[in-house]
Amino acid sequence: MADADLREPQGEVEYMVLGCGSIGYNVIEELESETRSILVVDRDEKRVKDLLDQNYDAVTGDIRNPAIFDSLRVPKVVFVLSNEKDANLAAVQTIKGRFPEAEVIARAMDPLSQSALEAAGAEFVIYPQEVVAKAAVHQIRKLHVTRIAQRLFRMLESWEGALGIVTHNNPDPDAISSAMALAAIARAASDRRLQVRILYEGNIGHQENRAFVNLLDIRMERLTPQVLRECRYLALVDSSAPGVNNNIPPGTPINIVIDHHRIESEAVAAADFVDIRPGLGATASILTQYLQDLDIPVDRKVATALLYGIRADTRDFRRNVTPQDLNNVAFLLPLTDNDLLDKITSPSISKETLDVLGKAVQNRVIRSGYLFSNVGYVRNRDALPQAADYLINLEGVNTALIYGIGDTGIILTARSRDVRINLGAVLTEAFGEIGDAGGHPNMAAAVIPLSFFSMVDDKEKLLSLVIDPVLKRFENIVGLEKKEGRNEL
Ligand SMILES: [Mn+2]
């Protein structure tokens, strides 16, 4: 091929820029830091002369004319950036037609030419107006977020005394890690003048959550009226108002609310600082962002806790997770303690959970793909869903209903792999009127209070007396009662 020989020998060029107005010029300036191996083609002779004066390689030519490429060696990367949409489209078509290997980045003049350029084979099409609009909105959001964190910091800076950080009842890793991070921010802001106390009610049931608290050595206190009086300031994390899934008496003044749950406006406390972002997968994600924005050093425990909090609330980054959450995870990753994280996620099973699992396996009754199992009296409710998760894997089982009796009533947990059944709806229909029920199509739970029977000592006997009509409601709705024969396993 003779085409390359027509020009002065210039060796291989890495980039070609077609059309060198203001955008083209900015691109070559940007590329300049890594290479001078750039060839510019522009039809304006004066512009080409200016570029040559600045020591750039440039030739005069109309990029609409396919013949100009006869005498030019087309490199791997071509920027098509003139401000004429027909010229850009023609150039992309010629290049893609003749040099399919070349990677083409093209400038669109409007949304319509954007799709035409893509159809012509451009690898990447830039519509500058859109890029500017996106950057502008992104920047202002970033600025707002940073301002929010700074406002929190300045507020904490001015406080003295005790700050109670209250998690929701039966706190989960999201709530606990958020409280830890807020405590770290409060300490940094107040130069340790603020005495920070993390408060909770209920229990920490699931063995993974207990491992989390123990291994990270998290100090938490019970939320008692006495402790509440001692705290001059109160913050709520992962819940939005006093009395909303926490034991603070409604009406108590709250200073800080940080949450990610979608809520009605009445359920948000009037506080000095409120940051509720239902878009995010976890409250821990919001706190992680504060730490980044404020440039506060994050210690290993806090980073590990936050990462675990985000992971748990998003079910291993599969539920309600946003790019923002993943950015925050990326920030935390190098700061976390991997060994610790491993230990939390594979904790040893507590004796009670093991007992419940054992009873669930032993007492199972299977009928037409439905597994029922009575686990008797249970103190730790979290054991039930774990048993159901385990038994749903049995061969021949599509739906598992595990039930037992707690201190206040009958507890049922169900799991299903059967796409025809909506468990949440079934349990609500069966038990919604006589108790609390709800859930998702494939996992649901119900609690039926037994207020009249709380005097009974032998809870298991009580359960065996009342369970038949209870199960009947479930069987009727799923249509199980019509099928004859009990093939117990
Ligand atoms: Mn949460």
Side-chain angles (χ1 to χ4, degrees):
M1 289 265 234
D3 35 347
D5 302 330
L6 289 177
R7 276 185 52 81
E8 291 294 301
Q10 49 166 329
E12 289 282 332
V13 182
E14 284 181 59
Y15 297 104
M16 184 180 254
V17 175
L18 306 181
C20 197
S22 59
I23 293 181
Y25 190 74
N26 274 283
V27 167
I28 60 175
E29 277 200 313
E30 191 70 33
L31 289 173
E32 197 190 23
S33 60
E34 63 180 79
T35 180
R36 287 293 285 198
S37 177
I38 308 164
L39 175 65
V40 177
V41 181
D42 197 288
R43 65 173 179 180
D44 184 335
E45 265 175 52
K46 183 173 175 308
R47 195 176 281 161
V48 169
K49 190 180 167 300
D50 285 347
L51 288 166
L52 290 169
D53 286 346
Q54 291 175 58
N55 261 333
Y56 285 108
D57 251 327
V59 291
T60 314
D62 185 346
I63 63 171
R64 250 177 294 234
N65 176 11
I68 63 155
F69 299 103
D70 295 347
S71 58
L72 298 175
R73 179 173 292 179
V74 171
K76 278 246 172 65
V77 180
V78 182
F79 292 89
V80 184
L81 301 173
S82 92
N83 58 4
E84 288 174 65
K85 64 176 176 182
D86 298 339
N88 285 355
L89 183 59
V92 171
Q93 281 164 342
T94 311
I95 292 165
K96 275 296 172 182
R98 290 212 226 155
F99 315 96
E101 295 284 279
E103 288 162 354
V104 175
I105 295 100
R107 169 187 179 185
M109 303 305 293
D110 51 57
L112 213 65
S113 67
Q114 190 167 5
S115 30
L117 290 164
E118 274 160 6
E123 265 70 25
F124 194 62
V125 179
I126 296 166
Y127 178 32
Q129 281 84 338
E130 191 184 66
V131 174
V132 172
K134 276 194 178 146
V137 172
H138 178 75
Q139 284 307 323
I140 199 69
R141 288 222 175 103
K142 216 170 121 189
L143 186 70
H144 279 168
V145 167
T146 311
R147 289 233 169 101
I148 290 173
Q150 281 163 353
R151 201 162 74 72
L152 175 68
F153 192 87
R154 276 197 302 273
M155 202 176 76
L156 291 164
E157 224 170 11
S158 65
W159 286 358
E160 258 172 64
L163 163 66
I165 302 177
V166 183
T167 67
H168 54 68
N169 288 345
N170 309 317
D172 60 10
D174 185 30
I176 297 170
S177 64
S178 298
M180 290 167 77
L182 182 57
I185 295 171
R187 286 191 193 107
S190 70
D191 210 7
R192 304 196 161 259
R193 275 191 319 276
L194 262 177
Q195 187 208 344
V196 188
R197 305 167 74 166
I198 300 179
L199 311 173
Y200 79 108
E201 242 334 304
N203 48 50
I204 298 163
H206 195 290
Q207 70 255 16
E208 234 178 83
N209 294 354
R210 277 206 301 272
F212 172 82
V213 172
N214 292 339
L215 288 166
L216 292 173
D217 190 24
I218 303 166
R219 310 246 161 88
M220 300 200 290
E221 299 171 63
R222 288 275 167 189
L223 174 80
T224 62
Q226 171 65 27
V227 172
L228 272 185
R229 276 194 298 275
E230 285 166 14
C231 289
R232 187 163 168 199
Y233 307 97
L234 286 176
L236 279 176
V237 287
D238 215 24
S239 87
S240 59
V244 176
N245 198 13
N246 59 60
N247 281 13
I248 305 178
T252 308
I254 302 293
N255 304 91
I256 296 174
V257 175
I258 304 169
D259 193 8
H260 74 124
H261 293 103
R262 201 171 289 284
I263 27 191
E264 315 263 304
S265 55
E266 310 94 72
V268 179
D272 306 324
F273 179 90
V274 178
D275 189 3
I276 296 178
R277 289 188 236 175
L280 289 186
T283 302
S285 196
I286 304 175
L287 269 303
T288 304
Q289 224 174 329
Y290 293 166
L291 291 168
Q292 285 174 83
D293 291 337
L294 296 170
D295 216 0
I296 291 177
V298 187
D299 79 38
R300 274 180 117 62
K301 268 197 214 167
V302 174
T304 308
L306 286 168
L307 180 69
Y308 186 73
I310 299 174
R311 187 171 142 178
D313 247 41
T314 59
R315 295 255 159 83
D316 291 329
F317 315 123
R318 277 171 295 158
R319 187 186 66 176
N320 295 337
V321 74
T322 67
Q324 189 63 61
D325 292 312
L326 296 178
N327 273 335
N328 293 334
V329 168
F331 166 80
L332 292 171
L333 266 175
L335 308 171
T336 55
D337 184 330
N338 278 322
D339 289 346
L340 216 53
L341 210 55
D342 275 353
K343 280 190 196 140
I344 296 169
T345 47
S346 50
S348 47
I349 297 180
S350 77
K351 195 185 160 301
E352 196 194 3
T353 302
L354 202 63
D355 284 348
V356 169
L357 272 175
K359 279 191 207 159
V361 171
Q362 219 158 42
N363 301 341
R364 73 193 189 278
V365 175
I366 301 176
R367 291 164 57 200
S368 318
Y370 286 84
L371 178 146
F372 296 87
S373 193
N374 179 352
V375 295
Y377 176 67
V378 276
R379 255 180 305 136
N380 174 11
R381 276 181 195 187
D382 282 331
L384 252 67
Q386 290 180 64
D389 279 336
Y390 182 67
L391 287 170
I392 188 72
N393 293 317
L394 274 186
E395 213 176 284
V397 173
N398 296 319
T399 303
L401 184 79
I402 313 292
Y403 56 92
I405 189 161
D407 283 320
T408 53
I410 299 175
I411 324 159
L412 301 101
T413 292
R415 293 283 186 276
S416 184
R417 285 186 298 190
D418 188 341
V419 292
R420 293 162 303 175
I421 181 171
N422 182 336
L423 275 180
V426 169
L427 291 203
T428 307
E429 194 182 337
F431 311 119
E433 278 169 31
I434 55 170
D436 249 348
H440 304 279
N442 55 353
M443 53 198 290
V447 179
I448 300 160
L450 289 178
S451 38
F452 300 116
F453 303 94
S454 56
M455 316 295 287
V456 178
D457 275 342
D458 190 343
K459 297 270 196 289
E460 303 209 354
K461 193 164 174 202
L462 169 64
L463 180 62
S464 66
L465 286 174
V466 298
I467 195 64
D468 274 350
V470 169
L471 292 183
K472 201 96 209 134
R473 283 168 173 262
F474 176 83
E475 291 169 12
N476 284 344
I477 290 165
V478 299
L480 197 58
E481 94 283 16
K482 293 178 203 96
K483 288 171 188 134
E484 284 304 312
R486 288 165 73 95
N487 52 359
E488 302 191 8
L489 285 181

